[in-house]
Amino acid sequence: MKFDSKFMSKVRKQFPAVEADPFGRRRAFLDNGAGTLVTKRSADKEYDARIDWSANVGNEFPESLGAEETILEGRSAVADLLNAEGPGTIISGESATSLLFSLSYALGREFSGTENVVTTGYEHYTNINPWMEMGSNGEIKELRFAEFDRETGKLDPNTIQEMVDGNTRIITVTGASNVLGSRTDLFEIGKIAKDADAYFIVDGVHHVPHELTDVRRIGCDFMVLSGYKLFSRHGSFMYAKSEHIRDLTPYRVIPAPKRGPERWEWGTRDQAMFAAISGAVEYLAWVGNPSAKRPPKEGKQRRTRLAAAFKTIERYEKELMDIALNGKGKVPGLTEIPGLQLFGPRDVDKNLGRDPTFSFKLRGYSDKPLSKRLWEKYRLAIGAEDFFSRVPALYNKKTMLRATFVHYNSRAEVLALLKALNDLSIRKT
Ligand SMILES: Cc1ncc(COP(=O)(O)O)c(C=O)c1O
């Protein structure tokens, strides 16, 4: 499939809010790293589950049986998205943050206080604080940060290797920096973790919408992702290898199920959250074959469609990144606009490439007022903050502006951002 104008328009029709804000004002939504727009299939499935399958699981009447089936379908959809072993390896939770805290409680019980955890220098605090907490509780000795190259924004896996020693029990990394866009070499780091006999954890929240994920090929023990960054609603999922689901000891109340992912889930599950993620995965499978008469069967067929979808998405997002970085025609790109300081990789293809996430500052402007101006004058929705990341502080900045594109963004929307930034830059020179 190619993102020509016909297909683009079909894709955009799947997102009811893509063209205009809730008050009907046409705009470009470029704050996808903070949360994407919701696909209609996800919202519709959630609505149906809320109305039809509102009961609790465990009983024989239809509302209860339907709730159970919806939950299983949601787990199965996430499993296919990640190429996990099956629905029994998918745990749900309120957020990626809560899931990693929950995981850190379970892992902490295994340690004696002499161990260390290795992570990258460009993590979201979601993947920092749970391990810091282990340090404060005396469960580990140290949290080590493998720093990235400030110039290129990239992390050399050797820096991870250098941090690892005989006491390393966890290596935990994000799939891509949510500020710089830099992709992490998950395959190399997976090998390092295996050699070190350490748990390998991946924060997939930012990266999963941009590349086909394969937890088995990566060889990770755990991966978290969040529905609201993946065309669905809030609520998150954690993949865990079956043996960890079974053998680790999570916090749980006594009557909670003793087996399966339910063993890890705190309180009553929300079937609507599972329905919503099923809808988002169904949408992605549609991208893989828009002319198919019906959604694919779970398992191999769905995985094949998802693989096709991400092939298309990756190719198109590369094009968007190329426009964003290098401009088009007479419109200069982010690497060329006078007074614009871009943080992170300045190239698309080299060394694993990057995600379409661009953080920057523009000379003569403070971030928040600039974000407001981009909205009010140009109708561009772009965030300005620290993005809960340690990255801005590493560059001695409190905040940055960040534009994040996903595949429903058009080439024209990328150009609209570049034109606005060029315009604003000229006003200050
Ligand atoms: C890389 C990354 N990890 C984790 C999170 C937080 O996810 P959640 O809100 O589901 O806890 C974010 C949110 O911005 C993120 O970008």
Side-chain angles (χ1 to χ4, degrees):
M1 223 38 229
K2 261 178 71 180
F3 268 82
D4 54 18
S5 56
K6 205 165 144 209
F7 184 51
M8 192 74 224
S9 125
K10 276 192 187 170
V11 163
R12 284 172 72 91
K13 283 208 174 78
Q14 304 284 321
F15 292 88
V18 79
E19 301 292 347
D21 78 359
F23 306 101
R25 290 173 295 205
R26 285 186 68 82
R27 55 99 173 91
F29 190 82
L30 308 180
D31 196 27
N32 298 292
T36 58
L37 300 173
V38 175
T39 172
K40 190 170 176 333
R41 285 170 206 248
S42 174
D44 286 350
K45 279 211 182 238
E46 171 167 14
Y47 178 88
D48 289 347
R50 283 234 175 284
I51 301 299
D52 294 340
W53 316 126
S54 60
N56 210 343
V57 297
N59 288 305
E60 290 306 313
F61 39 85
E63 290 82 352
S64 177
L65 292 169
E68 204 145 330
E69 202 179 309
T70 304
I71 290 171
L72 190 62
E73 275 171 11
R75 290 194 210 279
S76 160
V78 176
D80 285 346
L81 179 70
L82 303 182
N83 202 27
E85 293 87 332
T89 60
I90 306 298
I91 299 162
S92 70
E94 172 195 313
S95 58
T97 309
S98 70
L99 285 165
L100 286 185
F101 267 117
S102 152
L103 176 61
S104 73
Y105 296 148
L107 291 176
R109 296 176 194 260
E110 306 249 298
F111 300 161
S112 64
T114 56
E115 296 84 353
N116 66 66
V117 174
V118 174
T119 188
T120 81
Y122 51 51
E123 296 302 313
H124 187 284
Y125 272 93
T126 285
N127 199 20
I128 296 177
N129 279 102
W131 323 114
M132 279 175 74
E133 194 82 0
M134 279 174 123
S136 325
N137 296 340
E139 290 159 349
I140 58 162
K141 190 167 168 218
E142 209 184 337
L143 172 62
R144 299 177 176 174
F145 292 95
E147 293 302 346
F148 57 94
D149 183 319
R150 300 280 155 79
E151 204 47 43
T152 62
K154 294 198 171 160
L155 178 88
D156 181 345
N158 287 325
T159 19
I160 295 266
Q161 180 72 74
E162 282 157 19
M163 294 277 157
V164 171
D165 62 23
N167 287 323
T168 303
R169 293 302 314 281
I170 298 175
I171 299 180
T172 182
V173 303
T174 183
S177 162
N178 67 316
V179 174
L180 304 168
S182 335
R183 287 187 176 179
T184 309
D185 193 339
L186 297 177
F187 294 100
E188 269 315 301
I189 298 173
K191 283 186 215 149
I192 296 171
K194 194 162 181 223
D195 288 346
D197 200 19
Y199 291 106
F200 182 32
I201 304 169
V202 179
D203 172 354
V205 174
H206 192 76
H207 184 55
V208 166
H210 303 292
E211 190 183 25
L212 183 70
T213 304
D214 189 331
V215 287
R216 283 187 274 178
R217 269 194 65 220
I218 293 167
C220 59
D221 294 281
F222 304 93
M223 179 182 284
V224 287
L225 65 110
S226 295
Y228 73 102
K229 310 268 184 176
L230 193 68
F231 321 117
S232 182
R233 48 156 277 182
H234 287 84
S236 302
F237 300 90
M238 178 165 73
Y239 159 76
K241 277 186 179 161
S242 318
E243 66 255 39
H244 301 324
I245 296 234
R246 189 189 58 223
D247 298 339
L248 289 171
T249 313
Y251 280 7
R252 51 179 284 283
V253 293
I254 291 166
K258 294 188 179 51
R259 275 182 213 52
E262 292 88 349
R263 188 172 171 253
W264 287 73
E265 290 170 331
W266 293 349
T268 312
R269 270 147 303 280
D270 176 2
Q271 50 272 42
M273 175 179 142
F274 287 89
I277 199 75
S278 292
V281 172
E282 188 182 300
Y283 158 72
L284 285 166
W286 170 85
V287 172
N289 185 354
S291 46
K293 294 258 176 330
R294 55 184 73 83
K297 289 200 200 84
E298 65 175 60
K300 216 167 156 200
Q301 193 182 52
R302 182 160 53 191
R303 180 70 186 168
T304 306
R305 292 232 190 128
L306 289 167
F310 277 99
K311 204 167 161 197
T312 307
I313 288 171
E314 269 217 272
R315 200 184 313 125
Y316 175 62
E317 287 190 358
K318 261 192 184 165
E319 191 188 332
L320 292 187
M321 287 190 269
D322 191 39
I323 298 175
L325 287 167
N326 305 314
K328 198 167 182 186
K330 289 203 168 67
V331 186
L334 294 172
T335 56
E336 301 157 330
I337 297 171
L340 190 140
Q341 186 183 7
L342 177 70
F343 303 91
R346 301 172 79 81
D347 50 71
V348 178
D349 282 315
K350 281 184 224 137
N351 307 336
L352 281 187
R354 56 161 20 263
D355 283 353
T357 299
F358 302 97
S359 293
F360 57 88
K361 279 184 169 284
L362 192 58
R363 192 169 53 223
Y365 295 91
S366 301
D367 298 336
K368 276 280 177 202
L370 180 53
S371 152
K372 194 160 183 251
R373 184 114 171 237
L374 284 166
W375 170 248
E376 286 175 350
K377 181 152 192 269
Y378 302 93
R379 290 287 179 247
L380 298 166
I382 290 187
E385 48 153 310
D386 62 10
F387 310 109
F388 276 40
S389 164
R390 68 196 276 279
V391 167
L394 292 176
Y395 289 95
N396 290 321
K397 311 289 181 205
K398 277 207 171 77
T399 60
M400 292 176 175
L401 280 123
R402 181 183 68 176
T404 35
F405 303 101
V406 289
H407 65 274
Y408 54 62
N409 287 122
S410 65
R411 297 161 182 94
E413 287 177 328
V414 181
L415 279 170
L417 171 67
L418 298 181
K419 282 182 190 156
L421 292 172
N422 275 292
D423 188 23
L424 290 162
S425 146
I426 287 163
R427 283 163 199 268
K428 290 285 171 179
T429 47

